[in-house]
Amino acid sequence: MADPNNWQNHAPGNLALSLGEVSATAVGPAVENAVKAWPEWAGMSLDQRQSCLQKIHADLEKESEALASKIALEVGKPLVEARGEMGAVLAKFGLTFEDAGKVLAETPVTNGPHPAAVRKRSRGPATVVGPFNFPLHLGNGAILPHLLAGNTVLYKPSPFAPIVANHYGEIFQRHLPPGVFQVVQGLGETGRELCLHPAVRSVCFTGSVSVGRSLAIDLAGDFSKDVALELGGKNALFVAKDADLTLAAKAAADGMCLTAGQRCNGTSRVFVLASVAEKFTELLVAALAEYVPGDPTLATTKLGPVISRAAQERHAKLVAEHGAEMIGAMPANLNGHYVLPALVRKMPGESLLEDEQFVPFLEVVTTPSLCDAVVAQLQSPYGLAASIFTKSKTIFDWFADAMLVGNVYANLPTTFSPSTLPFGGLKNSGNHHPGGKGFARFVADEQAVQWTGLDG
């Protein structure tokens, strides 16, 4: 991807398969189109805009399987997971309609000196920058509320997922006025140009801490522009002495291996009490053995490839440097960026990896107590998700209070983040604009109106 204007991808699960050349979209004309389309779109009622989105939902539902197949092909996500992503895309419509009805509606104020109300004003063009690991779902979660608020949207998908993004965009454009929704293809510089464009009034970026921090610094001078950042995690699963060890082992394996470890809420650490560590680790290895690398376009595959050669090499370097144990064996005749689940066992006090690795690599840390484990995890610069396996409500309540994370669970994988809840992180994981349920509160400007002496 050296050429910023043209590039060509190969399927990460089958490198012999070229996915065709992609050309970057010119940012200036796209933003101009969004600016021109904004007044008409903002002038529609919320009900009118929702009616357009309901038609989009119907077409997405009809073409869901085709979109899931493209996700599996382009980014290597196993088909069963890609179908799950499309289910989340479709479910987001109803959830966003519900949010919009509450958050974007005008609210009368009756206890002031004059008749008054608080209303929400459309903000203008919004840029949504999506990641490769959920090429539709995560972008969709920001796109829908922005459109309902009357904002026009410029969607910059991952350069690894242009085909499925174009298909998604075509469905939207069937039912929206020209310029209201545009897919803007490009590499990092295209996304940056979109975000920094002065006519763009909202930015929603999902990606790395380094890029998110750089954007925040560059946008600081334009302080009226709203910026929502979702920047990853270093998530831990904790195993108490009263845990259901079989359930905990399966959750750790799932959290580590879903989407080949390429989830911001994936499990990269497990802290397990010393009294149950040996049994838990035995069960974990057995659970990981079910994650056999395979063709992501097949419904039977559980572990697809990582997205790129760079990710594959990062995994190999981690394994070599830490003497990690590889689980299973690589099947023959695979021609892609495939890796095996790998784990390294650590004792209390041993140093832990701080950076998000985005590959199926797990540190299993034996700990003398939950307090020691929590203290160790609190040193992480991230604060996205954590889960504890215990039967004690008292322990869970203590754990939730102690952890500096945006999402905390009991007896569930760190990856179990339904769209019925907000989703965002603390510390380096985000900037207090959680996605998921309730994101509509970040897509419009609040205006207080009051009056007196008016006729009618």
Side-chain angles (χ1 to χ4, degrees), residues 21-38:
E21 189 169 277
V22 185
S23 296
T25 307
V27 169
V31 175
E32 288 177 12
N33 290 337
V35 170
K36 290 176 183 176
W38 174 45

Side-chain angles (χ1 to χ4, degrees), residues 312-338:
Q312 190 180 35
E313 291 173 349
R314 185 167 65 249
H315 180 272
K317 184 178 179 182
L318 283 167
V319 169
E321 288 182 350
H322 296 272
E325 177 184 354
M326 305 275 271
I327 307 302
M330 188 65 69
N333 302 320
L334 290 179
N335 178 27
H337 301 308
Y338 293 97

